[in-house]
Amino acid sequence: MLESETPVTPVTFPPAFLWGAATSAYQIEGAVREDGRTPSIWDTFSHTPGKTAGGEHGDIAVDHYHRYRDDVALMADLGLTAYRFSISWSRVQPTGRGPAVQRGLDFYRRLVDELLAHGIKPAVTLYHWDLPQELEDAGGWPERDTAYRFAEYAQIVGEALGDRVEQWITLNEPWCAAFLGYASGVHAPGRTDPAASLKAAHTLNLAHGLGTSALRASMPARNSVALSLNSSVVRPFSQDAADLAAAQKIDDLANGVFHGPILHGAYPQTLFTATELITDWSFVEDGDLALINQPLDALGLNYYTPALVSAADAESSAPRADGHGSSAHSPWPGADDVTFHQTPGERTEMGWTIDPTGLHDLIMRYTREAPGLPLYITENGAAYDDKPDPDGRVHDPDRIAYLHGHLAAVRRAIADGADVRGYYLWSLLDNFEWAYGYEKRFGAVYVDYTTLERTPKSSALWYGRAARTGALPEVHSIQ
């Protein structure tokens, strides 16, 4: 080594750090009419003309229901130590009420056993947006009773899998379920009622609290119960008072509406003020906040890109640049006086700016917000227009650079005192990407949607090397 050269110190992680990947049931399983499963709101929504790109749906998806053993073997070959997946509520409890269908539960029993046989730690998410259609017909998430139905469902799954699964997540991204599903309508069930979306957010909070209690009553005490939030990193366009107020309003709607009651037992007063023309919040009943504010064993954070906002410019008529799909209806109730700006920098195929500093900021915020609570990055990843080369290989250097930058941000947060215990790449497989159909590929594993053949991309090999060594390989180490 020349005297002028500086040795490169590898970015290493704690020995017990979990290296995982994540998926969700409707996006990968298929088999929507097998073994007693009935439609969820996403079956209905995706079969409604005009709701998804190309009218695409998850009827087959990537057929994980029949190919799960091969998919688990693939994870093991890559060296993953954890896998986060969700349960299809309507596969387990078809009407959202009553006894379980054992054939549905048996699929998840087999999946868990297969993971454990390969030394992969399962992490179960109970709800990833696929509400049984019959519960939506009865009012959906704005209907208070849905929270109690969720608690019954949580108990069923906890009793079935709690002896073998130690990591549990009640809800994934309740913000999307409430505000994309019931305010902007770009997600199932496609409703556009701002008041209903706020009521849905509260019911989801109540479902988390009741579900947490149900899980704890039905499982061994050693098990961990968590929640996955897609908390936004909201940055003001300037330090002007109006822009700071705009950022506070969006922060309340994106973050405080969930972490306020869940972590602290109270909604932000500024949230009530911002939405007072939409609802009086009378649906929050005495005792609800105590039911919601259950102690957590961990918190999951999902991160993709930051938000940049300002007070609205009266002269501006540009589309809302919040990255949450195109709709004439806003997913931000009471925030029509806020403008979203495209943040500068390189972008993924979703149009989302690549900014690992946002992930570091998010981790450190919750390190302060909930001191002593272990954190997991339960989703992080990027969509790119991946294609096989003439030899059938799929080289995705942009995704490798994305992962390297964001994992380095996680390690920096750990060095700064954050207790981050694992990272779940989104996603293991290319899959049905909700309203975008199959046009956005987030997977580390390429799926040919005609043959359903799986091909690990370069990023999967790179990430597998990181998982096996506990250190980040150089960005160009996989060709």
Side-chain angles (χ1 to χ4, degrees), residues 211-285:
T212 296
S213 297
L215 286 174
R216 292 211 167 103
S218 61
M219 301 191 309
R222 68 174 184 272
N223 290 357
S224 166
V225 181
L227 170 83
S228 283
L229 298 175
N230 57 320
S231 295
S232 291
V233 177
V234 184
R235 294 168 174 166
F237 191 77
S238 77
Q239 293 301 304
D240 290 347
D243 289 354
L244 292 173
Q248 179 65 57
K249 181 175 286 190
I250 297 304
D251 189 78
D252 285 342
L253 286 165
N255 304 322
V257 67
F258 298 109
H259 77 222
I262 289 169
L263 297 180
H264 307 304
Y267 285 102
Q269 187 58 47
T270 45
L271 173 67
F272 293 155
T273 302
T275 57
E276 62 187 0
L277 297 180
I278 297 172
T279 180
D280 61 4
W281 290 83
S282 58
F283 48 78
V284 180
E285 298 185 6

Side-chain angles (χ1 to χ4, degrees), residues 78-408:
L78 292 173
L80 302 191
T81 57
Y83 175 54
R84 175 182 168 236
F85 61 95
S86 77
I87 307 289
S88 167
W89 189 344
S90 60
R91 192 180 295 286
V92 167
Q93 198 185 23
T95 65
R97 293 182 173 84
V101 171
Q102 292 303 317
R103 289 171 296 167
L105 279 173
D106 284 345
F107 167 70
Y108 297 107
R109 291 185 177 107
R110 294 192 299 270
L111 173 59
V112 167
D113 288 346
E114 195 74 14
L115 290 164
L116 293 174
H118 284 81
I120 298 170
K121 191 169 188 173
V124 164
T125 302
L126 287 174
Y127 186 74
H128 198 129
W129 309 349
D130 48 355
L131 187 71
Q133 181 61 44
E134 289 199 24
L135 290 184
E136 172 59 25
D137 293 343
W141 282 113
E143 172 57 47
R144 181 182 181 85
D145 185 64
T146 305
Y148 292 89
R149 303 287 72 75
F150 178 79
E152 291 180 0
Y153 159 65
Q155 180 177 344
I156 288 170
V157 182
E159 289 174 349
L161 301 178
D163 61 332
R164 285 162 289 177
V165 177
E166 295 183 2
Q167 288 195 309
W168 292 78
I169 293 164
T170 54
L171 308 174
N172 178 77
E173 298 187 355
W175 185 89
C176 294
F179 297 110
L180 299 184
Y182 292 91
S184 70
V186 299
H187 278 192
R191 288 160 63 178
T192 55
D193 181 343
S197 72
L198 292 166
K199 195 173 182 182
H202 179 67
T203 308
L204 284 154
N205 285 334
L206 189 60
H208 160 74
L210 294 170
T212 296
S213 297
L215 286 174
R216 292 211 167 103
S218 61
M219 301 191 309
R222 68 174 184 272
N223 290 357
S224 166
V225 181
L227 170 83
S228 283
L229 298 175
N230 57 320
S231 295
S232 291
V233 177
V234 184
R235 294 168 174 166
F237 191 77
S238 77
Q239 293 301 304
D240 290 347
D243 289 354
L244 292 173
Q248 179 65 57
K249 181 175 286 190
I250 297 304
D251 189 78
D252 285 342
L253 286 165
N255 304 322
V257 67
F258 298 109
H259 77 222
I262 289 169
L263 297 180
H264 307 304
Y267 285 102
Q269 187 58 47
T270 45
L271 173 67
F272 293 155
T273 302
T275 57
E276 62 187 0
L277 297 180
I278 297 172
T279 180
D280 61 4
W281 290 83
S282 58
F283 48 78
V284 180
E285 298 185 6
D286 290 345
D288 280 3
L289 292 171
L291 292 173
I292 293 167
N293 183 218
Q294 299 298 313
L296 289 174
D297 300 304
L299 180 65
L301 299 176
N302 297 356
Y303 172 81
Y304 293 94
T305 191
L308 183 65
V309 302
S310 71
D313 180 350
E315 304 300 318
S316 175
S317 60
R320 187 177 54 258
D322 64 356
H324 292 297
S326 177
S327 171
H329 303 272
S330 172
W332 306 100
D336 290 342
D337 57 347
V338 175
T339 294
F340 285 81
H341 300 267
Q342 286 278 11
T343 52
E346 295 183 16
R347 305 186 192 286
T348 69
E349 281 292 307
M350 296 293 290
W352 298 342
T353 302
I354 302 166
D355 188 348
T357 68
L359 180 54
H360 178 270
D361 290 351
L362 184 66
I363 293 168
M364 299 315 297
R365 173 181 184 167
Y366 281 95
T367 296
R368 297 187 299 270
E369 192 89 33
L373 188 64
L375 304 175
Y376 291 86
I377 307 308
T378 41
E379 283 187 30
N380 177 239
Y384 289 104
D385 186 19
D386 305 311
K387 293 182 174 65
D389 67 16
D391 296 323
R393 297 177 301 179
V394 183
H395 189 42
D396 55 342
D398 290 338
R399 184 175 288 104
I400 292 174
Y402 181 101
L403 294 176
H404 188 284
H406 286 79
L407 280 161

Side-chain angles (χ1 to χ4, degrees), residues 401-424:
Y402 181 101
L403 294 176
H404 188 284
H406 286 79
L407 280 161
V410 173
R411 185 63 187 90
R412 189 164 65 254
I414 294 171
D416 290 341
D419 184 10
V420 186
R421 299 190 181 181
Y423 175 96
Y424 291 86

